[in-house]
Amino acid sequence: MPVIDNLPPLREVIATHELAAKKSLGQNFLLDLNLTAKIARLAGDLTGADVLEIGPGPGGLTRGLLAEGARRVLAIEKDPRCMPALAEIAAAYPGRLQAINGDALTVNPLEHLTQPIKITANLPYNVGTELLVRWLTPPEWPPFWDSLTLMFQREVAQRIVATPGSKAYGRLALLAQWRTDARIVLELPPEAFSPPPKVNSAVVHLTALPAPRYPADPATLNKVVAAAFNQRRKMLRSALKSVSPDIEDHLNAVGIKPTERAEQVGLEAFCALARSLDAS
Ligand code: SAM
C-alpha cells in the first residue's frame, strides 16, 4: 500500500471506527490509496481550487484530493459514523478539510467554498444521478463549478457520453453534452471496492463549457427532449405531437425527418428544433 500521508491504512481506519459498510447508504469503499490518488488526479490540477466531495465515507478519495494539493476540501457525508475518521484527516491537513455530516441533497456548498470549485464524488447510483442532473441544470450558466469527476455504475456512465444511434443515448447524454465536455476517464471492476458491488463502475469527467454548445432555451429543449425520449420507439411526428400541433412543419424546417425516432437525432438538431418552436 503506498504512503500518501502519515495516516493509517484505510482497512485500519474502517476497523478502528467500526465502519462496516451499510447497503442502505450505498457504501462500497475504495481502499487502495494509489487508486484514490489516481482518481483525484483525473479531476485535473487541484492546486488553487476548492473541491466539493460528496460521500467521503472513511476518506480514501478525500486523502487523495488533499495529497494531490487541493486548496480546500468540503466533504459532505450522510453517515455520522464516518465523522471521527474524517476528523483525523482534517487534523493531518490543518485548515484544508471541512467535513459536514449531512445530506448532499440539502446542504448548500456555496456557503462554504470559494471559486474555482471542482466537484468529485463516489456516490450511490440514485443520489449521483439526481445530483448530476441538478449540477447540469442550474438557473444560470456557467455554473458554480468548473468540473465534475464522478464515479457511476458503468451503464450510467455510458448513458452520459452516449452518441446518437446507440441504445444508451437519451436525455442524460443530451443534458450533459449540451453544456459540458463529458468523457469516461477510468473503468473499474467490482473488486476495486469493498464490499464489491454487482456491476462494473466508471469515472466520468465533465468540464463546464463557458456557454451551451448550441443556443436554445433550456426549458423548451428539456420539454422537447423529454417528450421525444418518453416515447423513444415512436416516430417524432407522433412522439412530439403534444409539444406543438405543427410539429411536422417544425421538424421539416430544421431538417429532421418526421418519421425519424429520437435516438437518431443529434444535439444540434434538437437545439434547432427548440429554437424553431420558440420562434413561432
Ligand atoms: N468516497 C468513499 C470511497 O470512495 O471509498 C465512499 C464511497 S460510497 C460508494 C458512498 C458514500 O456516500 C458513503 O460513505 C455514503 O454514506 C455516502 N452517502 C450516501 N448518500 C449520501 C447523501 N445523500 N449525502 C451524502 N453522502 C451520502
Side-chain angles (χ1 to χ4, degrees):
M1 201 60 82
V3 179
I4 62 166
D5 48 41
N6 290 322
L7 291 159
L10 284 158
R11 277 190 200 285
E12 204 177 303
V13 172
I14 287 171
T16 309
H17 298 287
E18 299 179 12
L19 300 178
K22 278 193 184 168
K23 230 184 173 171
S24 59
L25 285 169
Q27 291 182 335
N28 301 98
F29 300 132
L30 291 167
L31 301 187
D32 178 353
L33 289 167
N34 208 4
L35 182 57
T36 60
K38 182 172 176 180
I39 297 170
R41 284 194 293 277
L42 292 172
D45 183 8
L46 299 177
T47 54
D50 278 6
V51 178
L52 169 62
E53 188 197 357
I54 311 289
L61 181 55
T62 320
R63 286 163 65 173
L65 294 165
L66 289 162
E68 290 300 318
R71 183 172 64 193
R72 285 189 70 239
V73 176
L74 173 69
I76 304 174
E77 171 56 59
K78 198 169 176 181
D79 186 349
R81 297 178 309 156
C82 298
M83 301 319 283
L86 295 169
E88 283 174 9
I89 305 172
Y93 290 93
R96 290 176 59 201
L97 172 61
Q98 180 182 2
I100 294 181
N101 182 207
D103 186 334
L105 295 167
T106 55
V107 175
N108 177 6
L110 287 177
E111 285 171 11
H112 308 275
L113 296 175
T114 320
Q115 284 169 320
I117 296 169
K118 288 171 178 281
I119 300 181
T120 63
N122 172 17
L123 271 175
Y125 154 72
N126 55 339
V127 185
T129 313
E130 181 169 352
L131 282 170
L132 172 64
V133 170
R134 272 198 210 179
W135 289 326
L136 290 172
T137 52
E140 304 276 327
W141 198 270
F144 73 89
W145 48 269
D146 286 3
S147 68
L148 309 173
T149 308
L150 310 173
M151 180 89 69
F152 286 104
Q153 56 187 82
R154 192 172 62 183
E155 175 263 323
V156 177
Q158 285 167 339
R159 280 169 46 206
I160 296 169
V161 303
T163 48
S166 66
K167 252 192 170 167
Y169 182 63
R171 285 178 76 180
L172 204 52
L174 286 157
L175 195 59
Q177 295 169 35
W178 185 39
R179 301 199 274 200
T180 76
D181 274 328
R183 285 181 305 130
I184 291 180
V185 287
L186 185 68
E187 301 216 1
L188 291 173
E191 309 80 69
F193 302 84
S194 174
K198 289 203 177 71
V199 293
N200 288 307
S201 301
V203 177
V204 186
H205 183 71
L206 304 99
T207 314
L209 296 172
R213 213 173 284 279
Y214 308 105
D217 174 70
T220 313
L221 182 62
N222 186 38
K223 192 168 68 180
V224 171
V225 169
F229 284 96
N230 275 346
Q231 305 185 69
R232 59 188 294 147
R233 298 232 173 92
K234 284 200 176 168
M235 293 178 191
L236 286 170
R237 67 174 174 216
S238 32
L240 293 179
K241 225 178 215 150
S242 60
V243 172
S244 160
D246 307 321
I247 195 65
E248 270 200 68
D249 295 342
H250 289 288
L251 288 164
N252 283 321
V254 299
I256 303 173
K257 283 200 207 104
T259 52
E260 272 189 316
R261 287 163 177 85
E263 69 184 41
Q264 276 123 28
V265 177
L267 172 62
E268 188 170 6
F270 271 118
C271 290
L273 182 58
R275 290 197 303 273
S276 171
L277 285 159
D278 280 339
S280 64

